[in-house]
Each structure stands twice: as structure tokens, then as C-alpha cells.
């Protein structure tokens, strides 16, 4: 058993941090003890959040948005954007005189993309949902940019197109 109030607070904080960092779910009964016994009482179960990536549905929404907004975005962006999200590569081809196309992998033309954006799945979701500003993400090193900085400044319409649309 934990002896003092301080130990209990540290134990609870440690348990919460351990669960967050390892995506572990606690057992259904109360966890009591020191840090070692708390770890022994936890069962590592992959959560649904760990199994699926948030970027998948958002990229699907971007692909759907390209059907209606593709030519407009292509006139604005005029280039190829490569998203590297947790090691997966997605190419957004918004070259001039195209309707816009999103596909998994590197550019089909074999050419170097005009802009490469590297980020985690979580940060991509935060950017799309408007909870993380692209400039702020770059300054905080949550977003790495290679290529045309001018094109990177035009990123917001792409992120807006990837946002989930409400069904009214």
C-alpha cells in the first residue's frame, strides 16, 4: 500500500502518464501500490485509437473534396504536395490544368514534389481540425517543410478541404 498522500498523488500521476504514453488500459479494479506494483497491475491492450490512424478519414475527405474543389485548388496551389504522415507517403497533385488527385505513395511522374510536409498522425489531425496553426506547428517543430515555402503558405485551403463536413 502507498504510505503517504504524496505517494498516492505520485502513484496516480505516474499511472495516468503510463497509460497515456503506452496506450494501456487499466484493469477494472482500483490500482493500489507503488510504481512497480502499478505497472504489474496494468494489462497492455491496444486501444482503438492506437489501431486506427486519424489521418485516414481526413485524407478520404480531402479526396472527396477534390471532386468538387479540385480545379479551384489546382489554380491556387499549382504544384505537387507530398505528405509524410508517420512514415506513410501521400501525394496531392494540384498541378496546373488538373482536377487534383490524391493517392498513396510518391509522385507518379517520378519528379520531386514541390512541397514535402512531414508530421505525425496526431499533428496532421490537429492541423486539419484547426486546433494547430500551420505556422505555429512549423515553429514548434511539429511540422517539417521541404521545398517551396511560398506553397507552404497556401496550405490552409488544403487543410480546410480535408475537414469533415457536417451532415445536415
Amino acid at each position: 500500500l502507498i504510505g503517504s498522500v504524496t505517494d498516492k498523488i505520485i502513484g496516480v500521476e505516474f499511472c495516468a502518464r503510463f497509460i497515456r504514453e503506452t496506450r494501456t488500459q487499466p484493469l477494472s479494479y482500483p490500482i493500489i501500490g507503488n510504481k512497480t506494483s502499478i505497472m504489474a497491475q496494468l494489462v497492455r491492450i491496444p486501444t482503438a485509437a492506437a489501431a486506427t490512424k486519424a489521418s485516414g478519414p481526413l485524407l478520404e475527405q480531402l479526396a472527396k473534396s477534390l471532386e468538387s474543389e479540385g480545379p479551384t485548388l489546382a489554380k491556387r496551389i499549382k504544384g505537387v504536395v507530398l505528405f509524410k504522415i508517420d512514415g506513410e507517403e501521400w501525394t496531392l497533385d494540384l498541378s496546373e490544368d488538373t482536377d487534383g488527385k490524391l493517392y498513396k505513395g510518391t509522385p507518379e511522374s517520378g519528379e520531386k514534389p514541390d512541397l514535402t510536409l512531414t508530421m505525425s498522425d496526431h499533428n496532421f489531425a490537429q492541423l486539419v481540425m484547426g486546433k494547430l496553426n500551420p505556422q505555429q506547428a512549423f515553429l514548434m517543430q511539429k511540422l517539417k517543410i521541404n521545398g517551396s515555402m511560398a506553397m507552404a503558405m497556401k496550405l490552409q485551403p488544403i487543410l480546410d478541404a480535408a475537414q469533415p463536413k457536417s451532415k445536415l
Side-chain angles (χ1 to χ4, degrees):
L1 288 175
I2 299 175
S4 68
V5 173
T6 306
D7 287 340
K8 286 183 182 180
I9 292 170
I10 291 170
V12 170
E13 288 174 354
F14 172 81
C15 181
R17 191 181 84 228
F18 182 83
I19 290 169
R20 274 194 314 272
E21 291 177 0
T22 61
R23 299 188 191 272
T24 305
Q25 294 180 345
L27 296 174
S28 59
Y29 54 84
I31 298 173
I32 301 171
N34 60 26
K35 291 178 186 178
T36 307
S37 68
I38 289 172
M39 286 178 53
Q41 293 179 52
L42 295 171
V43 176
R44 185 154 175 87
I45 302 171
T47 61
T52 60
K53 291 189 174 192
S55 59
L58 299 174
L59 289 165
E60 286 176 20
Q61 178 59 44
L62 177 57
K64 287 179 189 173
S65 295
L66 286 175
E67 293 171 8
S68 60
E69 301 174 38
T72 308
L73 284 173
K75 286 179 186 174
R76 274 192 196 170
I77 306 299
K78 299 177 187 167
V80 177
V81 180
L82 179 67
F83 291 96
K84 290 185 178 181
I85 304 169
D86 282 346
E88 288 187 7
E89 295 184 344
W90 290 84
T91 300
L92 178 61
D93 187 353
L94 293 170
S95 303
E96 276 189 278
D97 302 325
T98 64
D99 292 337
K101 186 164 69 167
L102 177 71
Y103 53 90
K104 193 170 185 170
T106 56
E108 291 173 346
S109 62
E111 294 181 19
K112 186 176 176 183
D114 299 302
L115 176 64
T116 302
L117 303 170
T118 306
M119 68 199 90
S120 70
D121 182 68
H122 174 75
N123 289 335
F124 178 75
Q126 295 291 311
L127 282 169
V128 169
M129 300 308 289
K131 295 181 180 180
L132 182 61
N133 179 303
Q135 289 83 8
Q136 189 178 23
F138 176 72
L139 293 173
M140 293 174 15
Q141 298 180 350
K142 292 183 175 187
L143 169 64
K144 293 179 184 161
I145 299 173
N146 292 325
S148 171
M149 190 58 77
M151 191 179 291
M153 298 304 286
K154 300 176 188 177
L155 186 61
Q156 197 58 50
I158 295 170
L159 297 174
D160 292 342
Q163 276 189 350
K165 309 292 188 245
S166 62
K167 297 176 183 176
L168 295 177

